[in-house]
């Protein structure tokens, strides 16, 4: 009798163990691949970002107040412009943030939300910026969000491995990058712009592997206008 019970229990144990392993693999894959279904690229040139027509991914990032910010493309009240940047330690990112002040008020007046995704941890989102960029961010109340775990960048397909040389150089310069996506996970986001309509569909996407090349204010304004026109039609 005990032998029969043992034989009956064994398949159940095997099935349970298999189910746990499958769930574990699914969870691991969802973190590694995100909605873009690609691994973290070895270099910026090898990223495979989401493109126009793709569904935007769902992700959780952290606000400047240290609170969770849930981005759910299935329940957007307004169209969204997602703009990623490497971090406050990057001078090109600072210049870009400052330059966009010329168009952000107009974009907001059109009824489009603008969200900035940074690889910095939440307490450094404003603190690490240059004085000029910080003044602009404070004046126009930019929505800066921390993607220090790199999950949003991975889901958007713009994550790549940061070089050990870059990490070492920033540490030598005294940059506070501890617990950033770069220092903690060895991952950086390629600066990118995604326009997302109220249905959660990406209508425009741009990601340049050359971090020195950024969209001008007009380049950001144009897809924002298209968002409004397409949502009105």
């Amino acid at each position: 009798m005990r032998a029969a019970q043992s034989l009956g229990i064994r398949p159940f144990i095997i099935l349970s163990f298999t189910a746990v392993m499958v769930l574990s693999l699914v969870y691991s894959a969802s973190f590694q691949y995100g909605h873009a279904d690609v691994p973290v690229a070895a270099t910026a040139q090898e990223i495979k970002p989401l493109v126009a027509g793709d569904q935007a991914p769902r992700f959780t990032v952290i606000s400047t107040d240290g609170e969770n910010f849930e981005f759910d493309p299935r329940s957007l009240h307004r169209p969204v412009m997602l703009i990623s940047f490497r971090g406050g330690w990057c001078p090109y990112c600072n210049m870009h943030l400052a330059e966009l002040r010329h168009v952000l008020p107009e974009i907001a007046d059109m009824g489009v939300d603008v969200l900035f995704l940074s690889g910095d941890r939440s307490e450094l989102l404003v603190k690490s910026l240059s004085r000029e960029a910080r003044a602009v961010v404070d004046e126009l109340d930019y929505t800066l969000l921390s993607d220090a775990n790199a999950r949003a960048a991975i889901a958007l397909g713009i994550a790549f491995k940061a070089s050990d040389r870059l990490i070492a150089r920033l540490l030598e310069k005294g940059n506070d990058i501890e617990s950033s996506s770069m220092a903690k996970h060895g991952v950086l986001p390629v600066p990118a712009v995604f326009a997302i309509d109220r249905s959660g569909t990406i209508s425009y996407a741009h990601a340049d592997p050359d971090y020195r090349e950024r969209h001008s204010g007009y380049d950001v304004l144009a897809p924002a206008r298209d968002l409004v026109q397409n949502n009105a039609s």
Side-chain angles (χ1 to χ4, degrees), residues 181-216:
S181 63
M182 178 170 47
K184 190 173 182 179
H185 301 289
V187 174
L188 268 178
V190 165
V193 176
F194 296 92
I196 303 168
D197 65 25
R198 283 201 304 267
S199 72
T201 302
I202 296 173
S203 63
Y204 176 86
H206 174 84
D208 196 323
D210 186 347
Y211 64 87
R212 296 165 297 185
E213 298 294 328
R214 305 298 174 97
H215 260 13
S216 67

Side-chain angles (χ1 to χ4, degrees), residues 12-226:
F12 175 79
I13 293 174
I14 293 174
L15 285 173
S16 298
F17 178 78
T18 302
V20 170
M21 290 298 294
V22 169
L23 288 173
S24 176
L25 286 172
V26 169
Y27 177 81
S28 176
S30 68
F31 176 82
Q32 182 181 2
Y33 298 108
H35 292 257
D37 198 29
V38 293
V40 173
T43 67
Q45 289 71 26
E46 298 175 70
I47 62 166
K48 295 182 180 179
L50 296 179
V51 298
D54 286 336
Q55 185 72 11
R58 181 180 182 182
F59 54 79
T60 301
V61 285
I62 309 296
S63 70
T64 53
D65 298 325
E67 301 293 330
N68 282 351
F69 183 100
E70 303 283 346
F71 181 80
D72 189 347
R74 301 168 301 178
S75 57
L76 297 178
H77 299 293
R78 288 155 51 109
V80 172
M81 296 292 293
L82 278 181
I83 302 176
S84 68
F85 65 101
R86 306 199 301 169
W89 51 268
C90 170
Y92 292 93
C93 298
N94 280 278
M95 289 188 289
H96 192 219
L97 288 173
E99 196 268 337
L100 290 178
R101 70 183 180 274
H102 302 298
V103 298
L104 288 187
E106 183 177 348
I107 292 175
D109 289 343
M110 288 189 294
V112 177
D113 291 330
V114 181
L115 307 178
F116 291 92
L117 299 177
S118 168
D120 284 333
R121 63 184 192 273
S122 60
E123 60 267 32
L124 291 180
L125 285 173
V126 177
K127 181 181 177 182
S128 65
L129 297 174
S130 69
R131 182 177 301 177
E132 180 186 7
R134 192 159 58 240
V136 171
V137 166
D138 289 340
E139 178 187 353
L140 297 182
D141 196 24
Y142 282 33
T143 301
L144 301 182
L145 300 168
S146 168
D147 184 33
N149 62 15
R151 291 192 178 184
I154 292 171
L156 291 164
I158 57 173
F160 71 99
K161 286 292 184 180
S163 69
D164 293 338
R165 182 179 178 183
L166 174 60
I167 295 173
R169 186 167 74 244
L170 291 174
L171 290 173
E172 288 174 3
K173 290 173 61 178
N175 290 82
D176 186 0
I177 61 171
E178 184 182 356
S179 296
S180 70
S181 63
M182 178 170 47
K184 190 173 182 179
H185 301 289
V187 174
L188 268 178
V190 165
V193 176
F194 296 92
I196 303 168
D197 65 25
R198 283 201 304 267
S199 72
T201 302
I202 296 173
S203 63
Y204 176 86
H206 174 84
D208 196 323
D210 186 347
Y211 64 87
R212 296 165 297 185
E213 298 294 328
R214 305 298 174 97
H215 260 13
S216 67
Y218 178 80
D219 291 330
V220 174
L221 189 59
R225 285 174 174 162
D226 291 339

